[in-house]
Amino acid sequence: MTERTNNFPPLPKFLKVKPCFYQNIEEEIPTQHQRLVRRIFTLWIMYSVTLCLNVIGCIAWWAAGAHGSNFGYSLLWLIIFSPASYVCWFRTIYKAIRADSSFNFMAFFFIFFLQLVLAIIQCIGINNWGICGWIATMTFFRYNVAAATVMLLTTLLLTLVTVLMALVLIKVHRLYRGIGGSVTRAQEEWGAGTWKSAPAKGAPSIVDQTAQGHSLPEYPAAVPNYLDNRSW
């Protein structure tokens, strides 16, 4: 097997910092699930872009007379939650579908549910939290319409991302229930340590067998007799 070179995040070659992960959806993810994984990856990009726009919205918020702590917190949201969301829930579902791992599926459900709750709180927009949510945006329209309009763009995009997160959670849960996943199987993987490694390329998995309707081949119990028994 050829050694795989990490390719994500894509960084310029002149930097001493190298990519941390190997990501190849076409090679590692079963064909029937590649579309879902690409959509989840796009969702992560949308969430990261939303956090970037939130920084701009908080700058406008600050420039129009709001507290400067909102800008500082918005930078903190971007620096921490953009890479953390990739590592904690996108890589988790990526490994779950790649390796047909019930443990990683369960980890994804737990982490992604917390992410969804956090996104809902961000949509609410509590003041001085560094997020341009609905409460903060609608309240600030009374003071500065231009700044509140910039904040509203971030709020609308964050609301869209939150809705898409809920749909992804439902979609992945249906997929997991369809392949017969369970907490017991996840505990068995944890005890055996099989959740750490992916199956060999080309090996059938429960996800593939369920989607394609295939089962493992059956071999005859008796060994056939060959006509030519001469030594070779």
Side-chain angles (χ1 to χ4, degrees), residues 58-192:
C58 287
I59 292 176
W61 195 5
W62 184 19
H67 202 279
S69 61
N70 289 309
F71 172 67
Y73 284 129
S74 66
L75 285 178
L76 190 64
W77 286 109
L78 176 62
I79 294 173
I80 294 179
F81 284 92
S82 181
S85 58
Y86 177 85
V87 174
C88 293
W89 54 261
F90 175 73
R91 287 297 300 181
T92 303
I93 191 59
Y94 185 91
K95 292 185 292 184
I97 297 179
R98 180 191 65 185
D100 186 24
S101 171
S102 287
F103 177 84
N104 282 300
F105 269 110
M106 297 301 295
F108 169 79
F109 291 138
F110 176 75
I111 297 172
F112 199 69
F113 177 76
L114 296 180
Q115 171 70 85
L116 179 60
V117 173
L118 176 63
I120 293 174
I121 296 175
Q122 290 174 332
C123 281
I124 295 175
I126 303 174
N127 287 317
N128 298 325
W129 273 40
I131 290 292
C132 302
W134 286 106
I135 294 178
T137 301
M138 294 297 102
T139 302
F140 208 68
F141 263 107
R142 296 180 297 177
Y143 303 99
N144 193 300
V145 177
T149 302
V150 177
M151 296 167 61
L152 181 60
L153 296 177
T154 302
T155 303
L156 291 174
L157 185 56
L158 182 59
T159 303
L160 174 61
V161 169
T162 304
V163 173
L164 293 177
M165 284 181 179
L167 294 177
V168 165
L169 186 61
I170 295 173
K171 178 67 176 179
V172 175
H173 182 263
R174 289 178 178 176
L175 171 65
Y176 183 66
R177 297 291 294 178
I179 63 176
S182 63
V183 178
T184 302
R185 185 181 164 202
Q187 292 174 343
E188 292 175 353
E189 290 182 5
W190 172 262

